[in-house]
Amino acid sequence: MTDSTTTTSTSLPPVVSQKDWNAASAALLAKEKAHMRAGDALAAERRRLPMVEVTTGYTFDTPDGPKSLLDLFEGRNQLIIYHFMFHPDWDEACVGCSTEVDNLGDLSHLNARDISFTLVSRAPLAKLAAWKTRMGWTKPWVSSFGTSFNEDFGVTKGDEEDHKLSVFLRDGDRVFLTYQQGGRGNEVVLNHFKLMDLTPFGRQEDWEDSPAGWPKGPRYEWWRFHDRYADD
């Protein structure tokens, strides 16, 4: 990534009076409010999506013994699963997925709104437990090893792993898939990106539209496990 010290005064945005800055900020705020209202409209449409019933019986390996998909609801009516990329043969988990879990807050706020949350990976439970300890995480994490769960939900294709969020609704003992998102849709979890987006330099990745001379570098390459940044 380009060192930010290479930025010169010629590449800075215009420097204006407080009055002009207030006017420019107000114009941007109007666009931000429109963007937020559009997001609210999408959320309303999302709540009205049709559902598909999940009829396959899956058994997950958990620290508390085998559990079904219904058990993962923990008595609540809604469940969010983050499909965390961890191939059974890998010695380390996915760095991007690890970053997403780092950004997760206290789940009690979700639980208070009738929502349970868990991570699911294909690696055996022992590997998940070791990685959870290294990262200092407390989030629920179960293994789908030996089941078709990952394949059925499109996060394992052949020998390739993918990451997604899947949302489920329970009606008695019946379970329904209501929503699924992957790719940049998972940025809903990545609070650090949203904070970076507020800064002048942004994420400093090559795809961004930034002023000439702003620091940029290849996407993904700067990502590290949170205990590895000090190594750089």
Side-chain angles (χ1 to χ4, degrees), residues 45-52 177-179:
E45 186 173 348
R46 189 179 299 120
R47 288 190 290 271
R48 290 165 172 80
L49 275 176
M51 307 183 298
V52 60
L177 175 68
T178 65
Y179 181 74

Side-chain angles (χ1 to χ4, degrees), residues 49-88:
L49 275 176
M51 307 183 298
V52 60
E53 187 167 6
V54 181
T55 57
T56 302
Y58 301 104
T59 301
F60 301 93
D61 195 9
T62 86
D64 300 318
K67 289 188 177 181
S68 67
L69 181 59
L70 187 63
D71 292 331
L72 300 185
F73 281 78
E74 297 181 327
R76 301 181 182 94
N77 289 310
Q78 302 170 99
L79 170 68
I80 299 174
I81 284 180
Y82 179 62
H83 302 275
F84 188 114
M85 294 168 59
F86 203 150
H87 189 286

